[in-house]
Amino acid sequence: MENAQAWGSPVVVGIDGSVAALEAARWAAREAERRRTGLRLVSAFGWRASGHIGDPGLGAGYRTVMLESTRKEIAEAAAAAAEAAPGVEITDEVVDGFPIPVLTAESQRAALVVVGDRGLGGFTGLLIGSVAVALAAHAACPVVVVRGELPSPQGPVVVGVDGSPTSETALAFAFDAAAVRQVPLVAVHAWMDYVADPAVWQLVDWETVEADECRLLAEQLAGWSEKYPHVEVRRAVVKDRPAHALLGQCGGAQLVVVGSRGRGGFTGLVLGSVSHAVLHHAPCPVAVVRPELG
């Protein structure tokens, strides 16, 4: 298996007792198996002792009950992960603190941080709130949000490419993911015409523009195809909105990879509308890779 080197750092998954977290634990376990590394399950417990932020004033006894419930939830997630990937070494811990700082700290020593698309308790609002955005913006490793139906293991990996340094790091992650899974890689490059005046629009040689966009994608893929000669690469150069183009290629995919920021077609992938559209509507897990993480 190409590039199936052992990764020293574990795959970390955030657990909160939700069904989505269980699916994230199963996905993360299989990913740890592919990477030949360990799996670490973490649950953030922000209910501290009386008098501190996070204490609702219900007493130490109630806090003890909730802590025990959290421990049972992480144990359930560990059992689900062990069933999904029996050979993976699994550790789990309930960590004092709140989701964003806890998972950001964990990312400092993780190969990957994995979360579900919707949560309960400490990880509530992963996508529609601030947790997912903050994690994608500040984590020291790539972040995967597990969503959609269980993907086929034969499905391709899809990646958005815009010619920026950010998409180079996304390509590095995506090529490695495709190589380890032994599946094709679909490289999507979206471009739009921004000419508002119909009279000017008619003067533009759109065939030449499209040829230029195809050449840009080919140039950015060239080095990666040399590094991963056994990965089948399918190119999709689409005159379309970036999010729509990416989502249009995700049917049957097992993972879609985006950079955290871009230029041109993929500008603002995390903090703007494109990333939100992909995170909310992709039918498969979404990996967000920051530029400095390549």
Side-chain angles (χ1 to χ4, degrees):
M1 183 181 297
E2 183 179 350
N3 204 42
Q5 76 274 19
W7 291 56
S9 301
V11 173
V12 172
V13 56
I15 302 298
D16 66 357
S18 67
V19 173
L22 286 177
E23 288 303 314
R26 295 185 182 99
W27 189 95
R30 290 187 287 267
E31 182 68 11
E33 184 176 50
R34 282 188 287 263
R35 291 170 176 259
R36 300 180 182 178
T37 192
L39 177 67
R40 175 169 164 79
L41 280 65
V42 176
S43 184
F45 189 76
W47 194 336
R48 299 178 184 174
S50 179
H52 293 272
I53 296 174
D55 173 29
L58 297 177
Y62 196 77
R63 179 185 184 279
T64 300
V65 170
M66 296 305 296
L67 180 58
E68 183 60 28
S69 176
T70 300
R71 288 171 176 156
K72 288 180 180 178
E73 291 167 355
I74 203 168
E76 181 183 359
E83 183 178 1
V88 171
E89 180 181 350
I90 300 173
T91 61
D92 60 77
E93 184 178 1
V94 177
V95 180
D96 239 1
F98 297 94
I100 294 173
V102 165
L103 288 180
T104 300
E106 290 288 333
S107 74
Q108 296 287 338
R109 50 188 178 273
L112 187 68
V113 172
V114 182
V115 291
D117 66 340
R118 289 176 179 82
L120 299 170
F123 293 98
T124 298
L126 267 172
L127 291 184
I128 59 175
S130 61
V131 176
V133 172
L135 192 58
H138 300 293
C141 68
V143 175
V144 171
V145 178
V146 176
R147 56 166 292 110
E149 300 296 325
L150 181 67
S152 165
Q154 285 76 47
V157 172
V158 176
V159 60
V161 183
D162 70 355
S164 71
T166 299
S167 62
E168 279 292 316
T169 59
L171 279 169
F173 186 94
F175 264 98
D176 190 71
V180 171
R181 289 165 172 79
Q182 297 182 314
V183 298
L185 176 69
V186 180
V188 183
H189 176 64
W191 62 281
M192 291 281 291
D193 66 82
Y194 295 99
V195 180
D197 188 340
V200 176
W201 190 91
Q202 294 178 9
L203 298 176
V204 177
D205 185 347
W206 294 113
E207 289 186 0
T208 299
V209 172
E210 184 173 7
D212 288 341
E213 299 295 339
C214 289
R215 183 166 55 253
L216 184 153
L217 178 60
E219 289 173 354
Q220 193 157 19
L221 291 175
W224 294 107
S225 293
E226 292 176 6
K227 184 176 180 180
Y228 295 88
H230 300 299
V231 173
E232 175 190 349
V233 179
R234 302 171 185 172
R235 303 176 188 178
V237 178
V238 186
K239 183 183 176 184
D240 197 358
R241 300 183 309 278
H244 191 263
L246 269 175
L247 292 171
Q249 297 292 329
C250 286
Q254 61 176 292
L255 182 68
V256 57
V257 183
V258 294
S260 64
R261 291 180 296 277
R263 68 169 182 236
F266 290 95
T267 298
L269 266 172
V270 167
L271 300 179
S273 61
V274 176
S275 63
H276 288 173
V278 174
L279 286 172
H280 281 288
H281 299 293
C284 62
V286 179
V288 180
V289 187
R290 292 171 54 213
E292 59 268 37
L293 300 179

